[in-house]
Amino acid sequence: MTRPGQGLAFTKASAAGVYNFLLGGKNWTAIDREAALAVIGTSPQAPEVAKENFRFAGRVAAWAVAEYGIRQVFDIGVGLVVGIGIDGVVGSVPLDSVETCVRNVDPGAVVIAYDNDEVVLAHARALRENYGHVLRGDVTDLDSIFDHPDLHSHPKLAGRIDLSKPAVVVLAAVLHFVDDPAAVMAGLRDRLAPGSVVVVSHATKSRTSQERVSGMTRAYDRASRPIIFRDEEEIAALADGWDLAPPGLVDVQLWSPDGSYEGEVHETVRVVGMAAVLPDHQPERDHTAGGC
Ligand SMILES: C[S@@+](CC[C@H](N)C(=O)[O-])C[C@H]1O[C@@H](n2cnc3c(N)ncnc32)[C@H](O)[C@@H]1O
């Protein structure tokens, strides 16, 4: 399998490619597939959980937009999963992306995706002749996200981003590739306006066998960046200083504000998620339509 983008050497699996394989997408290399099959060999439900993680990201982002009337969404570590973008291009994974879910509740909301993987950026560029819908940005360098020149200069974005107002930041399945996720959350606390919502999902080693966690960690050793399974307490602590929206930190299959969404949870691989709200803000409006 080849990917768009000349000159990229695929000597290591990419986190995005492995995840795309698990999701049933088409944008992975033989090396990605090998790593993904090693993950599945250890944890057979990994594809199912990956899909639930994907749905979680869209569902919670749409909920945050609807609940708080927020109109700017930053999806950081978006992966090879492009929805209907600012230029109207549809992508490859057969699930509703964060962007699609947000647009379902607020068609006028701005959704901006970032990734720091060259493969993801090349893929996005190939989908659009002149403009990669996915901006280059690293979650460990928040300047690269919030001071990205396109926010001010791109005709589709200029004048639409206002960081003095609340934003939704989606960090779905990305912080487990980061050494110091607490520093990321601290940076977001400093950067974002009160009332902003950060949506986090993270692979956990809690209530999963150590053998499986080690197997999955080893499988990701073939990838360009290692995966770090953290325990639930560590992940929950990332929201210190934030208000956790109900139901708090739960398996991604169980996250919904009213308990109405209930997917199957598997002991073989667990990803937990939460929505953390930056305090000192009153909800602006009660918007209940649509979503995913
Ligand atoms: C497992 S995929 C998750 C995709 C999507 N967020 C989702 O949950 O459906 C992880 C993505 O995070 C990206 N990533 C990893 N570390 C990153 C970093 N420091 N900054 C930005 N993106 C990063 C990877 O390149 C990959 O595309």
Side-chain angles (χ1 to χ4, degrees), residues 15-16 19 23 53-54 57 75-81 114-117 120 137-140 172-174 176-178 201 225:
Y19 184 66
L23 288 177
N53 171 70
F54 192 91
D75 185 4
I76 309 175
V78 66
L80 286 156
V81 281
Y114 297 83
D115 210 286
N116 71 345
D117 184 332
V120 173
D138 192 310
V139 74
T140 63
V174 58
H176 49 231
F177 296 109
V178 167
S201 67
R225 45 175 87 85

Side-chain angles (χ1 to χ4, degrees), residues 53 56 200-204 207 230-232 235 249-253 270-274:
N53 171 70
F56 163 88
V200 174
S201 67
H202 196 301
T204 182
R207 288 186 280 140
R230 296 191 167 90
D231 59 38
E232 281 182 278
I235 299 166
L249 181 72
V250 294
D251 287 88
V252 288
Q253 296 93 322
R270 292 186 62 225
V271 176
V272 289
M274 61 185 172

Side-chain angles (χ1 to χ4, degrees), residues 8-25:
L8 294 172
F10 300 128
T11 53
K12 287 243 170 196
S14 86
V18 174
Y19 184 66
N20 188 267
F21 183 90
L22 296 175
L23 288 177

